[in-house]
Amino acid sequence: MKNDVSKPKYGQSYRSNKPRQIQRKSAKPRLAPREVKIVLFNKPFDVLCQFTDDNNRPTLADYIDIKDVYAAGRLDRDSEGLLLLTNCGQLQHKLANPKKNTFKTYWVQVEGAVSGEAVEALCKGVELKDGLTLPAKVKIITEPSGLWPRNPPIRERKNIPTTWLEISIREGKNRQVRRMTAHVGYPTLRLIRASIGPYRLDDLENGKYKVISANA
């Protein structure tokens, strides 16, 4: 009995009529609440948000001895404050993805006496090189209580006042807060993240971390 599948002629490719089997990657199983690790860390100035560095700069490994946790979002080397680390991919995605609209709140010390017009502009959104920022929550505050000294200290110019702002944003453009304040004429001198969604810095000492439950 002859095979009904003809051989391809010279220069032609053979294509099977059999349906192609698609191999799907199996999704990682969702962690049970008791298996989820959530680490809240008060990151000092000049520390990288990674565990290794080829140039021997300070990293998370100098402060955190918990394995298999990774940062949910970034915090620049020259910024301080709350960094959340977890072993839960779903939580990482929820907190780091701008589409999830997770508000992050920062205490920002800027150079100059900030005007009401500048606060209003930041609230409405300002035009940066990579687009218009989403509306933000911005208000002038007093210096946060219990604030630790920065090492090295900020550079302050004589006879020029500084102002503390509380800024809450729900997107993650590169160095966004610094560019926002500079856009309205007030360069950022110090930047501290106070909260990420429901997770707050509270009285956590600078350079220290604590582990909380997934239901906290």
Side-chain angles (χ1 to χ4, degrees):
M1 183 176 181
K2 293 184 178 180
N3 195 327
D4 58 278
V5 179
S6 60
K7 294 183 179 180
K9 296 180 180 179
Y10 180 77
Q12 292 181 331
S13 59
Y14 170 76
R15 188 169 183 174
S16 172
N17 292 325
K18 293 182 179 180
R20 180 181 295 180
Q21 293 182 348
I22 300 175
Q23 292 183 347
R24 301 178 183 272
K25 291 184 178 180
S26 58
K28 291 184 178 180
R30 186 182 294 269
L31 295 173
R34 67 179 182 278
E35 298 174 311
V36 174
K37 299 177 184 177
I38 300 176
V39 180
L40 303 184
F41 175 53
N42 187 345
K43 188 187 88 67
F45 177 83
D46 202 36
V47 173
L48 296 172
C49 283
Q50 56 199 49
F51 282 92
T52 60
D53 180 61
D54 294 336
N55 297 315
N56 294 319
R57 292 172 294 181
T59 68
L60 299 178
D62 297 311
Y63 298 88
I64 300 173
D65 56 1
I66 299 176
K67 295 182 178 181
D68 301 324
V69 292
Y70 305 94
R74 63 176 181 269
L75 188 61
D76 293 326
R77 179 183 174 190
D78 54 353
S79 298
E80 308 162 69
L82 184 62
L83 182 69
L84 186 147
L85 302 97
T86 181
N87 64 336
C88 177
Q90 289 82 9
L91 180 59
Q92 274 186 308
H93 178 73
K94 178 182 177 181
L95 297 179
N97 188 343
K99 294 181 180 179
K100 298 298 182 180
N101 291 324
T102 301
F103 271 98
K104 301 175 180 66
T105 298
Y106 300 85
W107 295 327
V108 190
Q109 187 179 16
V110 300
E111 186 176 74
V114 177
S115 67
E117 292 79 5
V119 171
E120 185 178 358
L122 292 172
C123 288
K124 291 181 177 179
V126 294
E127 188 71 42
L128 303 178
K129 289 183 178 180
D130 49 357
L132 182 69
T133 62
L134 294 175
K137 301 176 183 178
V138 184
K139 62 182 179 180
I140 296 174
I141 61 172
T142 58
E143 180 178 320
S145 61
L147 200 60
W148 57 92
R150 203 190 80 167
N151 184 24
I154 64 169
R155 294 181 181 179
E156 294 187 65
R157 294 194 289 176
K158 291 182 179 180
N159 303 322
I160 298 181
T162 66
T163 303
W164 281 94
L165 299 172
E166 183 178 273
I167 301 178
S168 298
I169 59 174
R170 51 193 169 96
E171 55 186 335
K173 298 180 186 294
N174 185 42
R175 298 181 72 81
Q176 179 174 336
V177 172
R178 295 178 187 275
R179 292 191 292 143
M180 287 171 62
T181 66
H183 182 86
V184 295
Y186 301 95
T188 291
L189 301 173
R190 190 176 183 187
L191 182 61
I192 301 168
R193 185 155 64 196
S195 67
I196 305 171
Y199 304 98
R200 300 187 58 82
L201 192 61
D202 291 332
D203 57 354
L204 183 61
E205 293 183 27
N206 191 232
K208 302 295 184 179
Y209 71 84
K210 65 180 179 181
V211 181
I212 64 173
S213 69
N215 299 321

